[in-house]
Amino acid sequence: MVTPTLTSTLISPAVYDGYNLIGNPYPSSTDWSSAGWVRTNVDPVKYSFNINQYQTYNAVTGESTNGGDKYVRPEQGFFVHVTDNTPGTVSVDNSARVHTTGAYNKNASSISDQLVLTATANGIDDEAHVVFSNDATLNFDPELDAYKMTGSTQTPNLFSMLPAGITAAVNWLPRTGTGQVVPLGFSCGLSGIYIITAGNLGSFNAGTQIFLEDIRENNIQNLMTNPVYHFSYTAGEAAGRFLLHFSTTMIGTEDISTDRMQVYSWEDIVYVKHLNEGNVSGTVVIYDLTGKTVFSGKLENQPLNKFRPMVPDGLYMVKLQTARTFHTTKVFISHN
């Protein structure tokens, strides 16, 4: 048995804290998901570099990105991450040894509610996963999530942006209700035209809507009907460019002749989503808790409207009026 001791070395930038380079000590491959690999205070994700970018594989969920798989080739080195800045150990014995000569295979996971996004440019693909599960939290979950490790200069980097400045290649989240928003970041060392493609859309229940919002270009695209998004990128621009919007039309038992609307907020923006197919028009009015009107606007004939009322942080009432329905809800607006 081989048991290296791993540390969490505090270095700058702090995003690299806790990473350790280890390797397969055997002349044969080993199975990272085997009981022969024993991890103590170490995340179950291995990070392997393939010339341009990092491939991940999670021994607990079986989820992988960028073609990673469960096998560690003979004498191959890879990174692991110590959990919560504590000392850790990884041990491996003969029971983990397997015979395989195959190349890395892309994840064939059957995980439900799993969005696979692929950024493409310069002949390189880079994946980011967003998965919904009752076992997840909004913060980084060491047993489920995978950190984002950026690749070479020409590699596109796509990732979720979590609290505390954490970036994740794999982001497991709980369902928090209608109109859930997930911040998405992108970076690359080269300027150019890039593509984001949404995959694994069939893993979501019928009626799920997923929109990609490009904050810089003020574009919103329905990924369920048009899963390929093209955009221009300038090297060095702010990473936090995109928002993912998730919702489902399967709410309540309203008559389909009535406009069904969802209202929610993200930071200082109020979103209004039309859940029915067909035309919609109307008005939106926002009141403070004293009943004073602080904003009014027009609903455009599109699935997702956005409004920035330019008001202080706090709770507000949003009232919608269309030709077929009247809707009131409360939102919290924050500039943080």
Side-chain angles (χ1 to χ4, degrees):
M1 177 179 289
V2 179
T3 308
T5 298
L6 310 180
T7 61
S8 181
T9 304
L10 299 178
I11 60 176
S12 181
V15 69
Y16 297 118
D17 291 352
Y19 289 100
N20 289 255
L21 180 65
I22 63 174
N24 176 9
Y26 294 109
S28 63
S29 295
T30 58
D31 183 346
W32 180 244
S33 63
S34 164
W37 281 100
V38 178
R39 295 168 291 271
T40 303
N41 294 329
V42 173
D43 301 346
V45 179
K46 69 178 179 75
Y47 302 82
S48 305
F49 194 66
N50 71 344
I51 301 177
N52 289 309
Q53 65 196 149
Y54 283 91
Q55 302 170 313
T56 70
Y57 180 82
N58 189 316
V60 173
T61 66
E63 188 173 13
S64 66
T65 64
N66 298 326
D69 66 12
K70 65 182 181 178
Y71 299 113
V72 185
R73 271 58 183 185
E75 300 180 358
Q76 181 185 52
F78 58 98
F79 284 97
V80 294
H81 185 267
V82 176
T83 307
D84 296 331
N85 293 322
T86 58
T89 60
V90 173
S91 64
V92 59
D93 61 28
N94 286 334
S95 66
R97 299 176 69 179
V98 294
H99 175 71
T100 180
T101 58
Y104 284 98
N105 297 312
K106 288 199 173 183
N107 181 30
S109 171
S110 59
I111 298 172
S112 61
D113 295 332
Q114 177 198 47
L115 177 65
V116 177
L117 296 169
T118 304
T120 303
N122 310 315
I124 303 171
D125 291 342
D126 185 61
E127 292 183 6
H129 294 193
V130 177
V131 190
F132 291 94
S133 170
N134 292 333
D135 296 327
T137 71
L138 294 175
N139 297 310
F140 187 87
D141 298 304
E143 290 295 303
L144 300 172
D145 297 335
Y147 290 101
K148 178 62 182 180
M149 298 181 71
T150 56
S152 59
T153 299
Q154 68 270 25
T155 301
N157 298 289
L158 191 62
F159 45 87
S160 291
M161 303 180 71
L162 278 62
I166 293 174
T167 57
V170 177
N171 181 17
W172 286 62
L173 294 165
R175 287 285 190 186
T176 60
T178 59
Q180 191 159 352
V181 179
V182 179
L184 194 69
F186 178 86
S187 68
C188 186
L190 301 178
S191 302
I193 303 299
Y194 291 81
I195 301 172
I196 294 177
T197 304
N200 209 39
L201 297 172
S203 69
F204 291 88
N205 291 331
T208 298
Q209 294 184 352
I210 305 175
F211 290 85
L212 177 68
E213 179 180 355
D214 185 336
I215 299 172
R216 197 189 83 171
E217 298 296 330
N218 197 30
N219 289 334
I220 297 176
Q221 181 167 309
N222 187 340
L223 295 179
M224 285 300 197
T225 58
N226 186 4
V228 181
Y229 182 74
H230 296 76
F231 65 100
S232 175
Y233 172 80
T234 302
E237 70 175 67
R241 176 166 174 172
F242 300 100
L243 296 175
L244 287 168
H245 298 257
F246 294 85
S247 67
T248 176
T249 62
M250 308 300 289
I251 59 172
T253 57
E254 298 95 334
D255 191 298
I256 61 173
S257 65
T258 299
D259 287 324
R260 290 184 295 171
M261 317 294 286
Q262 285 183 350
V263 180
Y264 58 95
S265 62
W266 172 256
E267 296 183 344
D268 63 336
I269 299 176
V270 174
Y271 293 93
V272 178
K273 185 175 291 184
H274 183 220
L275 300 178
N276 291 356
E277 294 184 359
N279 297 334
V280 64
S281 62
T283 59
V284 55
V285 181
I286 301 177
Y287 303 86
D288 64 18
L289 296 185
T290 69
K292 178 183 176 182
T293 299
V294 296
F295 177 85
S296 61
K298 180 181 178 181
L299 287 175
E300 301 294 337
N301 186 26
Q302 57 193 28
L304 187 63
N305 282 253
K306 59 183 293 189
F307 304 95
R308 180 174 274 114
M310 303 298 290
V311 294
D313 293 4
L315 287 170
Y316 293 86
M317 297 299 299
V318 181
K319 294 186 178 181
L320 306 178
Q321 180 73 59
T322 73
R324 296 180 293 188
T325 192
F326 178 80
H327 183 87
T328 302
T329 192
K330 186 181 294 184
V331 299
F332 182 77
I333 294 176
S334 171
H335 294 78
N336 294 331

